[in-house]
Amino acid sequence: MCSGRVDLEFVLRAFAKGMDGVFIGGCRLNECNYITHGNYDALNMVLLCKKIMEHLGLNPQRLRIEFLSSGEGNLFTEAVDDFTKTVKDLGQLGKAEAIDEDELRSRLEEARKLVPYIKIAKRKKLETHLENEEEYDGFFTSEEIDKLINEVVSYHIDPEKCQACMICQRRCPVEAISGGKNRIHVIDQDICIKCGTCFEVCLPRFGAVNQISGEPVPPPIPEEERTVVRKRKKS
Ligand code: SF4
Ligand code: SF4
């Protein structure tokens, strides 16, 4: 498949499954047969993923992308041999970085859950075509990715303000919001991908969806307390 189809989540999943290294081969930049130029997307994803790996305490050399044409068998062999040697020298994933196995699994699982959020937050940069290698190094910075992950935003519906208009429930792309007619809506934090749609669509006069960062999300209100109580207008 096109290297542009190699999602950030695929790479993190490979590491979560215990792979010691991930090698991605793409067509030469600017030589894509289609208008999509997915190899640029793959490059940006790799640059981003390397910073995420650093944040997780993993050696970013465990991930490599090379751009080659189908007629360059020798170059491909050399690149794979060199990568294999690098990974062998680094040693087993996690062990070499002195990270406990369970801890590593948990860090990778947490990072995998954040993939949609990270992709939305970095959408503009991920769409950029980097024209020369000098730009690669500082394109994503460690500070930027640390901040993004450390200050991750969660969404919460204020039960006092929700008017059960159901717009957010209909627009949520992953069905993370439960509610219904006359029912205070509640976000399932385990399903939510932090896309922010509910925050954007909740009408300003309700303003019921809050962004929360740096503090725990309040627990959902009990089922039996979810009926919306509407105040009657005084006649
Ligand atoms: S859009 Fe706002 S008011 Fe409407 S159901 Fe969602 S949280 Fe409640
Ligand atoms: S942030 Fe996105 S995924 Fe999460 S509940 Fe709101 S609409 Fe759904």
Side-chain angles (χ1 to χ4, degrees):
M1 62 184 174
C2 172
S3 57
R5 179 66 184 89
V6 185
D7 197 88
L8 177 58
E9 204 276 333
F10 298 174
V11 179
L12 293 174
R13 194 193 318 162
F15 287 125
K17 285 188 177 289
M19 296 297 122
D20 295 324
V22 174
F23 180 96
I24 299 162
C27 300
R28 283 185 173 280
L29 294 170
N30 268 330
E31 291 182 12
C32 181
N33 287 317
Y34 307 100
I35 56 165
T36 47
H37 289 276
N39 40 8
Y40 282 99
D41 297 337
L43 169 62
N44 294 349
M45 181 278 292
V46 165
L47 297 175
L48 173 61
C49 193
K50 280 175 177 284
K51 290 297 172 194
I52 295 171
M53 291 170 74
E54 279 179 22
H55 178 88
L56 300 177
L58 294 175
N59 192 320
Q61 288 184 58
R62 294 182 181 280
L63 172 62
R64 187 180 296 182
I65 187 163
E66 292 283 351
F67 302 105
L68 306 141
S69 85
S70 56
E72 294 175 317
N74 286 350
L75 281 182
F76 176 74
T77 311
E78 278 170 26
V80 171
D81 282 350
D82 184 64
F83 181 64
T84 307
K85 183 178 177 316
T86 301
V87 173
K88 276 190 176 159
D89 288 349
L90 286 174
Q92 191 183 329
L93 182 81
K95 237 184 193 166
E97 285 94 347
I99 308 172
D100 170 77
E101 207 176 308
D102 290 342
E103 171 63 22
L104 176 62
R105 199 174 304 122
S106 136
R107 286 187 204 178
L108 282 162
E109 285 309 322
E110 282 306 308
R112 281 179 66 194
K113 278 193 211 161
L114 291 178
V115 166
Y117 163 76
I118 293 171
K119 281 166 64 179
I120 290 168
K122 295 293 157 197
R123 183 166 46 200
K124 278 230 155 60
K125 271 195 172 181
L126 287 169
E127 288 169 1
T128 309
H129 281 197
L130 296 175
E131 297 299 342
N132 56 66
E133 289 190 27
E134 288 75 54
E135 292 177 274
Y136 295 2
D137 264 354
F139 190 57
F140 291 104
T141 66
S142 303
E143 296 71 37
E144 170 189 11
I145 300 308
D146 290 349
K147 189 170 185 299
L148 182 71
I149 297 178
N150 293 338
E151 296 176 12
V152 63
V153 170
S154 298
Y155 294 87
H156 173 256
I157 295 174
D158 185 339
E160 299 287 324
K161 294 183 178 172
C162 178
Q163 291 300 304
C165 70
M166 301 199 287
I167 295 174
C168 61
Q169 189 181 19
R170 289 196 200 105
R171 297 283 298 275
C172 176
V174 290
E175 299 183 3
I177 302 176
S178 55
K181 207 174 168 195
N182 243 13
R183 301 282 290 165
I184 290 169
H185 287 43
V186 172
I187 296 173
D188 184 332
Q189 299 297 329
D190 287 334
I191 301 175
C192 172
I193 57 168
K194 305 176 192 304
C195 70
T197 303
C198 51
F199 181 75
E200 284 165 20
V201 300
C202 185
L203 297 175
R205 69 173 187 274
F206 302 141
V209 183
N210 296 321
Q211 285 181 312
I212 297 178
S213 176
E215 54 183 282
V217 178
I221 59 162
E223 284 272 355
E224 61 277 13
E225 292 171 28
R226 291 189 190 171
T227 304
V228 175
V229 182
R230 297 185 201 283
K231 288 174 196 151
R232 291 221 172 134
K233 280 184 188 165
K234 284 179 189 163
S235 51

